[in-house]
Amino acid sequence: QVQLVESGGGLVQAGGSLRLSCATSGRTFSSYTMGWFRQTPGKEREFVAAISWSGGTTHYADSVKGRFSISRDNAKNTVYLQVNSLKPEDTAVYYCAAAKTYSSHYYYTERQYNYWGQGTQVTVSS
């Protein structure tokens, strides 16, 4: 069993930056693929970024590519999402997720992930 707790969200001006953190419990963190998704009320949850267990492979949604960066520190059982050049349309609840296995074809799908955090709110004002 794995528990995930997100933090680091907040209210920022357009163009600003935040670093979101996802702290995990359990003894198998380094074996998991980690991902970030986001959701706004009335909108489907969408994929943001993913990182393999070794950190050697990353993926990004086209909407955030070049602005967001995912990383992980297995020694600290923590995954990060650095969000830069924020836009109002980035406003959402950001969720951390963990997958038991990695798929180069389905890393962006919700059903690939086995564990989810409660989310952290990011609000970007214009």
Side-chain angles (χ1 to χ4, degrees):
Q1 178 70 295
V2 176
Q3 288 81 46
L4 295 77
V5 180
E6 302 96 332
S7 63
L11 174 64
V12 298
Q13 293 286 116
S17 299
L18 290 170
R19 189 180 73 161
L20 309 184
S21 297
C22 175
T24 67
S25 64
R27 302 286 291 178
T28 60
F29 174 78
S30 63
S31 299
Y32 285 75
T33 294
M34 302 297 296
W36 287 93
F37 292 74
R38 66 186 182 184
Q39 187 171 31
T40 299
K43 187 179 179 181
E44 294 293 319
R45 184 155 56 187
E46 64 176 345
F47 168 78
V48 176
I51 187 168
S52 64
W53 70 269
S54 68
T57 303
T58 58
H59 303 278
Y60 298 94
D62 289 341
S63 60
V64 306
K65 195 171 298 180
R67 299 189 298 121
F68 291 10
S69 180
I70 188 172
S71 62
R72 67 190 297 164
D73 186 339
N74 289 346
K76 296 182 180 295
N77 295 331
T78 301
V79 63
Y80 305 96
L81 185 70
Q82 179 71 38
V83 295
N84 300 321
S85 301
L86 286 165
K87 307 173 182 179
E89 51 263 44
D90 293 319
T91 295
V93 176
Y94 284 71
Y95 296 93
C96 178
K100 295 178 180 178
T101 60
Y102 174 75
S103 171
S104 62
H105 299 290
Y106 302 109
Y107 60 87
Y108 57 89
T109 63
E110 293 182 52
R111 70 176 184 175
Q112 187 68 27
Y113 295 84
N114 307 98
Y115 306 101
W116 295 82
Q118 296 300 306
T120 185
Q121 177 72 47
V122 172
T123 302
V124 184
S125 62
S126 59

